[in-house]
Amino acid sequence: MCGIIGAASSRSVGKILIKGLQLMEYRGYDSAGVVLNKEEEILRLRSLGKVSKLEDLMISKKPRALSGIAHTRWATHGAPSEENAHPHGSHDDIFIVHNGIIENHEEIRDFLRKESYEVTSETDSELIAHLIHFYNKDTKDTLKALMRATKDLKGAYSIAAVSQKEKGKVYAARQKSPLLVGIGIEENFIASDPLAIVNITEKFHMLEDGDFSVITKDDAVIFDNTGAKVDRDELKIEATATATTKGDYKHFMEKEIYEQPECIGNTINGRLGENDVLDNVFGLGSSDAFREVKRIHFVACGTSLHAAKTARKWFEDICEIPCYIDFASEYRYRNPIVENNTLFVTISQSGETADTLAALNYAKEEKYIGIVSICNVPTSTMARESDWKVFTNAGPEIGVASTKAFTTQLAALLILALSIAKSQEKNPEKRKQAAQDLRETPALIEKAFKLKDEINSITNNISSNDNALFLGRGMYFSIAQEGALKLKEISYIHAEAYPAGELKHGPLALVDETIPVIALAPEDSLVEKLLSNLEEVKARGGTLYVFGNSSSTIEIKKGKFINMPECGDFNAPIVYTIPLQILAYEVACLRGTDLDQPRNLAKSVTVE
Ligand code: M6R
């Protein structure tokens, strides 16, 4: 979703800003723009489409400016167009870039019209530039005008602003949308995503809601919502060069699929003892608190929600406690009934998903015994807002389609199930088995990678269809849902997942000779039932692609059986995810889609 970068430096900032935008391209966007506060004038450049177009435009102008702001936009208010692209300006003086949504934009638009401001775009963001300009007429101080303007805004925002009259200065404001200050040598930065500047500095201060900042090349000052100067903790974020480049891979998604053995290792390292989980891995006091947990409420979106749905069985089997699962976007609107001793668990790769954060804030006001987050980004809002947390340690995930985030979330969820069961002294044998299975997972994933050629032998049939049906039972229904989501988001094939037993209640009508039916048939207590359901597909002449093992004895006349590595009960769901990721990736390659940045999607969905 949208990305912000601002810089004040002793060197020309054009390239820094463009590079920052490129490093945030993975977030998804449709247009880009930059404002360079040159000595003699202010230069604004905007373009629809890729940042490389903006870069070409900038190179042709050869600007030299020691401060500026830049933005990638993912359209919310107003279509993707050059006019709607940021930065937005007021009277060739104040220019701003904005992430988030201003909910009371109609009201502000009316006010500005009455004050004779001409609004030229369809965005809510442009209004911010005019408001700052309006208040600056009185305050004659850009920071004060920015502070005053934000008092009028309802909603979520992170803003970077410059004034044509003040060379070398960048202003910033944050409310419910991430923004940080980066500290360099003779230069300082503002960014909505540390990845934008992680190649030029490792020192950051995360702004808190209500904070403002002013940076120059020599100084970075932070103010709270009363206008008082404040210190925010310094964070060190190191990103190795390899974390943000594709290396020898064609796409980030491909790289991220093949990183999974190492990532799972990083999720479990230091958290498992010989036969059990270690104490307090979710933070000091967590093991004591978990003793009281009688039920769990999971809230997440997309892939992260699929992780919760998959893991539910672990909590029921190992902890013997019931679980409730909600879409984050639905949760708070249905006035959930929270019983005593319920633990609230959010799951998010980015830790910045607006729906999930809104749910978390809602949950804080309810009588949960605490909030646990499973998250990949230690500096995220979610991590800071939770009572207890565990980081998945998967490293930056750049591909819009989540891969390593999902499997590491599953590993972290199993660790959470073990922690709760250990605190409640339940099922030591199962805990021992689960810990052992977790440790064997990376090696099993390596084995699953070896199926790539077999998977490639079926991708032509799948890529030539516009529909696909995924089937599974129990936990593997949720894995099937994740497989269908992967296929649809990057190949644009319409893919649905069903619990195989539901087939006869409707979806069986879709089955004909053409639609590929992809089924997960691991050796578990439901495999016999699943095989009967697959017979229903065969009887209708359907094409079956089954991922199973020796116990899944099904003769396939049309389609293919792909033999999976023998897995343990607790790692099989993770391992069965791998061929579905490879399948989606290879099919999307055949269809030639922009699979790291699929159409209409953003990596981190920071608007409701
Ligand atoms: O960062 P989060 O895990 O909170 O993101 C949630 C979803 O937006 C995300 O999982 C989305 O569904 C992925 N693109 C799926 O691959």
Side-chain angles (χ1 to χ4, degrees):
M1 211 147 256
C2 306
I4 287 178
I5 176 165
S9 177
S10 55
R11 57 180 168 149
S12 186
V13 296
K15 278 193 190 145
I16 298 174
L17 296 178
I18 294 290
K19 180 73 189 160
L21 293 186
Q22 282 164 341
L23 289 167
M24 289 189 286
E25 281 191 297
Y26 77 98
R27 299 172 69 89
Y29 69 102
D30 44 60
S31 54
V34 61
V35 149
L36 296 162
N37 211 354
K38 291 167 60 184
E39 202 45 56
E40 56 289 4
E41 54 161 354
I42 199 152
L43 174 68
R44 174 171 65 172
L45 303 168
R46 297 182 291 178
S47 69
L48 195 57
K50 294 284 172 195
V51 174
S52 56
K53 258 176 80 182
L54 181 72
E55 185 179 22
D56 291 345
L57 200 61
M58 195 187 76
I59 291 170
S60 70
K61 305 268 178 200
K62 298 195 182 73
R64 185 177 153 74
L66 304 184
S67 62
I69 53 177
H71 189 258
T72 42
R73 172 175 188 255
W74 187 82
T76 55
H77 291 61
S81 69
E82 204 178 301
E83 293 69 39
N84 288 335
H86 299 213
H88 289 288
S90 187
H91 294 79
D92 283 333
D93 176 12
I94 303 292
F95 285 85
I96 66 99
V97 291
H98 161 231
N99 287 359
I101 286 184
I102 304 305
E103 287 162 10
N104 57 338
H105 63 100
E106 293 292 1
E107 195 186 303
I108 298 175
R109 199 178 288 267
D110 288 346
F111 166 78
L112 288 168
R113 274 204 196 108
K114 280 187 202 129
E115 295 294 333
S116 306
Y117 277 86
E118 193 196 345
V119 181
T120 56
S121 75
E122 301 161 286
T123 65
D124 51 343
S125 309
E126 183 188 341
L127 309 176
I128 302 171
H130 295 308
L131 268 188
I132 300 172
H133 181 271
F134 174 76
Y135 288 117
N136 210 12
K137 286 194 268 182
D138 268 355
T139 59
K140 310 252 180 308
D141 177 321
T142 312
L143 177 63
K144 284 194 180 136
L146 171 65
M147 286 175 167
R148 177 62 193 85
T150 56
K151 284 198 172 42
D152 291 353
L153 306 178
K154 290 201 181 100
Y157 53 80
S158 45
I159 301 167
V162 291
S163 161
Q164 186 269 131
K165 297 187 188 106
E166 297 166 276
K167 309 290 171 194
K169 252 188 196 173
V170 178
Y171 297 89
R174 171 198 166 132
Q175 181 66 31
K176 295 189 193 146
S177 179
L179 200 62
L180 46 83
V181 173
I183 309 297
I185 297 166
E186 284 189 30
E187 54 189 7
N188 292 306
F189 314 96
I190 298 288
S192 56
D193 182 334
L195 277 188
I197 47 177
V198 85
N199 290 344
I200 34 183
T201 178
E202 288 181 353
K203 281 166 73 178
F204 297 91
H205 298 278
M206 188 63 76
L207 297 186
E208 294 187 1
D209 283 347
D211 280 357
F212 299 86
S213 179
V214 185
I215 61 161
T216 60
K217 72 178 173 53
D218 302 313
D219 217 0
V221 189
I222 301 175
F223 305 88
D224 68 10
N225 60 0
T226 67
K229 277 191 190 176
V230 280
D231 290 326
R232 297 293 176 218
D233 291 347
E234 186 180 305
L235 309 167
K236 271 201 117 187
I237 306 174
E238 290 170 33
T240 59
T242 52
T244 49
T245 58
K246 284 185 270 204
D248 291 336
Y249 292 97
K250 262 201 306 203
H251 299 97
F252 279 107
M253 181 181 176
E254 186 188 23
K255 176 177 176 241
E256 287 155 9
I257 289 174
Y258 291 97
E259 278 174 352
Q260 286 175 105
E262 187 190 339
C263 298
I264 303 254
N266 292 338
T267 312
I268 61 181
N269 280 347
R271 291 169 176 159
L272 289 182
E274 202 168 324
N275 294 320
D276 214 337
V277 67
L278 301 177
D279 289 335
N280 288 325
V281 292
F282 285 80
L284 222 54
S286 56
S287 290
D288 281 345
F290 290 170
R291 216 167 284 143
E292 308 304 322
V293 175
K294 292 210 170 79
R295 48 194 76 73
I296 304 182
H297 203 147
F298 291 99
V299 173
C301 302
T303 288
S304 300
L305 186 77
H306 292 157
K309 286 173 150 191
T310 311
R312 168 193 294 199
K313 191 169 188 313
W314 290 330
F315 290 87
E316 291 172 347
D317 279 2
I318 312 174
C319 311
E320 298 169 14
I321 55 178
C323 301
Y324 308 95
I325 303 178
D326 261 305
F327 291 102
S329 54
E330 294 288 328
Y331 161 75
R332 68 202 153 115
Y333 298 111
R334 66 172 184 81
N335 301 324
I337 294 161
V338 181
E339 291 170 276
N340 290 336
N341 299 80
T342 306
L343 182 69
F344 185 85
V345 179
T346 54
I347 308 162
S348 173
Q349 188 286 127
S350 59
E352 300 294 353
T353 301
D355 287 323
T356 314
L357 286 178
L360 189 154
N361 283 329
Y362 180 98
K364 280 186 154 176
E365 305 301 317
E366 298 291 313
K367 56 169 183 179
Y368 290 102
I369 61 174
I371 294 179
V372 168
S373 280
I374 290 176
C375 175
N376 191 33
V377 181
T379 52
S380 64
T381 310
M382 185 173 298
R384 280 182 293 122
E385 298 286 311
S386 307
D387 300 313
W388 302 294
K389 60 209 137 213
V390 89
F391 299 119
T392 46
N393 298 340
E397 189 181 65
I398 308 288
V400 163
S402 268
T403 51
K404 60 180 182 173
F406 180 68
T407 49
T408 54
Q409 283 168 351
L410 288 180
L413 282 160
L414 186 49
I415 289 173
L416 177 62
L418 297 182
S419 299
I420 295 173
K422 187 179 182 195
S423 293
Q424 302 188 4
E425 297 175 20
K426 285 179 182 156
N427 292 311
E429 277 312 308
K430 283 186 185 166
R431 289 187 343 241
K432 183 173 170 187
Q433 185 57 52
Q436 198 172 319
D437 281 5
L438 263 179
R439 258 192 238 97
E440 285 165 9
T441 313
L444 287 168
I445 295 179
E446 294 285 1
K447 283 190 185 166
F449 289 157
K450 302 213 165 82
L451 300 173
K452 185 174 163 197
D453 288 348
E454 279 199 80
I455 294 169
N456 271 328
S457 71
I458 65 173
T459 45
N460 269 323
N461 289 355
I462 294 170
S463 74
S464 57
N465 269 283
D466 285 330
N467 297 290
L469 194 57
F470 285 71
L471 300 175
R473 294 198 68 140
M475 302 175 91
Y476 299 89
F477 162 51
S478 311
I479 301 295
Q481 283 188 301
E482 175 57 12
L485 176 62
K486 282 305 77 105
L487 188 67
K488 80 178 84 156
E489 71 182 321
I490 59 168
S491 72
Y492 317 148
I493 291 173
H494 172 233
E496 291 292 339
Y498 275 93
E502 272 292 299
L503 205 53
K504 54 190 176 294
H505 298 293
L508 196 55
L510 292 174
V511 173
D512 59 11
E513 291 76 30
T514 55
I515 187 170
V517 180
I518 297 142
L520 299 176
E523 187 171 3
D524 68 1
S525 57
L526 289 171
V527 69
E528 289 304 325
K529 306 253 177 240
L530 177 103
L531 295 177
S532 309
N533 302 140
L534 299 188
E535 291 296 338
E536 296 161 10
V537 175
K538 272 173 68 183
R540 272 87 190 166
T543 311
L544 268 177
Y545 300 107
V546 180
F547 293 90
N549 57 24
S550 47
S551 69
S552 334
T553 44
I554 181 163
E555 195 192 329
I556 297 179
K557 291 207 183 88
K558 269 177 66 193
K560 189 173 172 72
F561 182 88
I562 295 182
N563 205 5
M564 291 289 293
E566 299 292 331
C567 302
D569 280 353
F570 294 102
N571 53 30
I574 302 179
V575 180
Y576 272 70
T577 306
I578 306 300
L580 301 188
Q581 296 173 342
I582 297 176
L583 180 77
Y585 174 78
E586 297 293 337
V587 168
C589 286
L590 284 177
R591 287 172 74 104
T593 54
D594 186 355
L595 56 76
D596 274 336
Q597 287 159 34
R599 68 184 180 202
N600 306 338
L601 298 183
K603 180 66 186 162
S604 176
V605 185
T606 48
V607 293
E608 256 192 75

PDB file of all heavy atoms in Angstrom, residues 399-411:
ATOM      1  N   GLY A 399       7.295 -10.286  -1.660  1.00  0.00           N
ATOM      2  CA  GLY A 399       6.234 -10.722  -2.572  1.00  0.00           C
ATOM      3  C   GLY A 399       4.875 -10.460  -1.917  1.00  0.00           C
ATOM      4  O   GLY A 399       4.715 -10.723  -0.723  1.00  0.00           O
ATOM      5  N   VAL A 400       3.936  -9.936  -2.703  1.00  0.00           N
ATOM      6  CA  VAL A 400       2.616  -9.642  -2.125  1.00  0.00           C
ATOM      7  C   VAL A 400       1.964 -10.925  -1.606  1.00  0.00           C
ATOM      8  O   VAL A 400       1.290 -10.933  -0.578  1.00  0.00           O
ATOM      9  CB  VAL A 400       1.725  -8.910  -3.157  1.00  0.00           C
ATOM     10  CG1 VAL A 400       0.261  -8.970  -2.768  1.00  0.00           C
ATOM     11  CG2 VAL A 400       2.159  -7.455  -3.265  1.00  0.00           C
ATOM     12  N   ALA A 401       2.167 -12.024  -2.312  1.00  0.00           N
ATOM     13  CA  ALA A 401       1.589 -13.294  -1.869  1.00  0.00           C
ATOM     14  C   ALA A 401       2.420 -13.852  -0.709  1.00  0.00           C
ATOM     15  O   ALA A 401       3.604 -14.131  -0.858  1.00  0.00           O
ATOM     16  CB  ALA A 401       1.567 -14.277  -3.024  1.00  0.00           C
ATOM     17  N   SER A 402       1.783 -14.015   0.421  1.00  0.00           N
ATOM     18  CA  SER A 402       2.496 -14.515   1.599  1.00  0.00           C
ATOM     19  C   SER A 402       2.862 -15.980   1.432  1.00  0.00           C
ATOM     20  O   SER A 402       1.995 -16.795   1.090  1.00  0.00           O
ATOM     21  CB  SER A 402       1.592 -14.408   2.824  1.00  0.00           C
ATOM     22  OG  SER A 402       1.787 -13.200   3.462  1.00  0.00           O
ATOM     23  N   THR A 403       4.093 -16.317   1.685  1.00  0.00           N
ATOM     24  CA  THR A 403       4.518 -17.720   1.637  1.00  0.00           C
ATOM     25  C   THR A 403       5.221 -18.067   2.947  1.00  0.00           C
ATOM     26  O   THR A 403       4.652 -18.733   3.806  1.00  0.00           O
ATOM     27  CB  THR A 403       5.461 -17.954   0.435  1.00  0.00           C
ATOM     28  OG1 THR A 403       6.500 -16.960   0.463  1.00  0.00           O
ATOM     29  CG2 THR A 403       4.708 -17.901  -0.876  1.00  0.00           C
ATOM     30  N   LYS A 404       6.447 -17.522   3.101  1.00  0.00           N
ATOM     31  CA  LYS A 404       7.177 -17.846   4.332  1.00  0.00           C
ATOM     32  C   LYS A 404       6.476 -17.274   5.558  1.00  0.00           C
ATOM     33  O   LYS A 404       6.615 -17.794   6.658  1.00  0.00           O
ATOM     34  CB  LYS A 404       8.624 -17.372   4.241  1.00  0.00           C
ATOM     35  CG  LYS A 404       8.809 -15.879   4.030  1.00  0.00           C
ATOM     36  CD  LYS A 404      10.285 -15.539   3.950  1.00  0.00           C
ATOM     37  CE  LYS A 404      10.507 -14.044   3.784  1.00  0.00           C
ATOM     38  NZ  LYS A 404      11.918 -13.676   3.879  1.00  0.00           N
ATOM     39  N   ALA A 405       5.693 -16.203   5.359  1.00  0.00           N
ATOM     40  CA  ALA A 405       4.968 -15.656   6.516  1.00  0.00           C
ATOM     41  C   ALA A 405       3.997 -16.706   7.045  1.00  0.00           C
ATOM     42  O   ALA A 405       3.876 -16.897   8.255  1.00  0.00           O
ATOM     43  CB  ALA A 405       4.215 -14.395   6.122  1.00  0.00           C
ATOM     44  N   PHE A 406       3.312 -17.402   6.117  1.00  0.00           N
ATOM     45  CA  PHE A 406       2.293 -18.377   6.525  1.00  0.00           C
ATOM     46  C   PHE A 406       2.914 -19.557   7.280  1.00  0.00           C
ATOM     47  O   PHE A 406       2.467 -19.912   8.380  1.00  0.00           O
ATOM     48  CB  PHE A 406       1.555 -18.878   5.284  1.00  0.00           C
ATOM     49  CG  PHE A 406       0.477 -19.896   5.574  1.00  0.00           C
ATOM     50  CD1 PHE A 406      -0.667 -19.542   6.262  1.00  0.00           C
ATOM     51  CD2 PHE A 406       0.605 -21.207   5.147  1.00  0.00           C
ATOM     52  CE1 PHE A 406      -1.679 -20.467   6.526  1.00  0.00           C
ATOM     53  CE2 PHE A 406      -0.389 -22.145   5.403  1.00  0.00           C
ATOM     54  CZ  PHE A 406      -1.533 -21.772   6.093  1.00  0.00           C
ATOM     55  N   THR A 407       3.930 -20.164   6.705  1.00  0.00           N
ATOM     56  CA  THR A 407       4.473 -21.366   7.352  1.00  0.00           C
ATOM     57  C   THR A 407       5.145 -21.025   8.690  1.00  0.00           C
ATOM     58  O   THR A 407       5.068 -21.808   9.645  1.00  0.00           O
ATOM     59  CB  THR A 407       5.450 -22.110   6.417  1.00  0.00           C
ATOM     60  OG1 THR A 407       6.381 -21.161   5.895  1.00  0.00           O
ATOM     61  CG2 THR A 407       4.713 -22.787   5.279  1.00  0.00           C
ATOM     62  N   THR A 408       5.755 -19.851   8.771  1.00  0.00           N
ATOM     63  CA  THR A 408       6.368 -19.488  10.062  1.00  0.00           C
ATOM     64  C   THR A 408       5.279 -19.128  11.083  1.00  0.00           C
ATOM     65  O   THR A 408       5.446 -19.358  12.277  1.00  0.00           O
ATOM     66  CB  THR A 408       7.379 -18.333   9.916  1.00  0.00           C
ATOM     67  OG1 THR A 408       6.748 -17.235   9.261  1.00  0.00           O
ATOM     68  CG2 THR A 408       8.608 -18.754   9.139  1.00  0.00           C
ATOM     69  N   GLN A 409       4.165 -18.581  10.602  1.00  0.00           N
ATOM     70  CA  GLN A 409       3.045 -18.321  11.534  1.00  0.00           C
ATOM     71  C   GLN A 409       2.531 -19.639  12.100  1.00  0.00           C
ATOM     72  O   GLN A 409       2.213 -19.749  13.287  1.00  0.00           O
ATOM     73  CB  GLN A 409       1.900 -17.612  10.807  1.00  0.00           C
ATOM     74  CG  GLN A 409       2.156 -16.131  10.571  1.00  0.00           C
ATOM     75  CD  GLN A 409       1.155 -15.509   9.600  1.00  0.00           C
ATOM     76  OE1 GLN A 409       0.371 -16.211   8.967  1.00  0.00           O
ATOM     77  NE2 GLN A 409       1.190 -14.196   9.477  1.00  0.00           N
ATOM     78  N   LEU A 410       2.449 -20.665  11.227  1.00  0.00           N
ATOM     79  CA  LEU A 410       1.990 -21.971  11.728  1.00  0.00           C
ATOM     80  C   LEU A 410       2.946 -22.491  12.801  1.00  0.00           C
ATOM     81  O   LEU A 410       2.511 -22.983  13.850  1.00  0.00           O
ATOM     82  CB  LEU A 410       1.873 -22.976  10.576  1.00  0.00           C
ATOM     83  CG  LEU A 410       0.703 -22.760   9.614  1.00  0.00           C
ATOM     84  CD1 LEU A 410       0.701 -23.824   8.520  1.00  0.00           C
ATOM     85  CD2 LEU A 410      -0.635 -22.791  10.352  1.00  0.00           C
ATOM     86  N   ALA A 411       4.248 -22.355  12.536  1.00  0.00           N
ATOM     87  CA  ALA A 411       5.225 -22.823  13.534  1.00  0.00           C
ATOM     88  C   ALA A 411       5.051 -22.041  14.836  1.00  0.00           C
ATOM     89  O   ALA A 411       5.055 -22.616  15.941  1.00  0.00           O
ATOM     90  CB  ALA A 411       6.637 -22.664  12.989  1.00  0.00           C
TER      91      ALA A 411
END
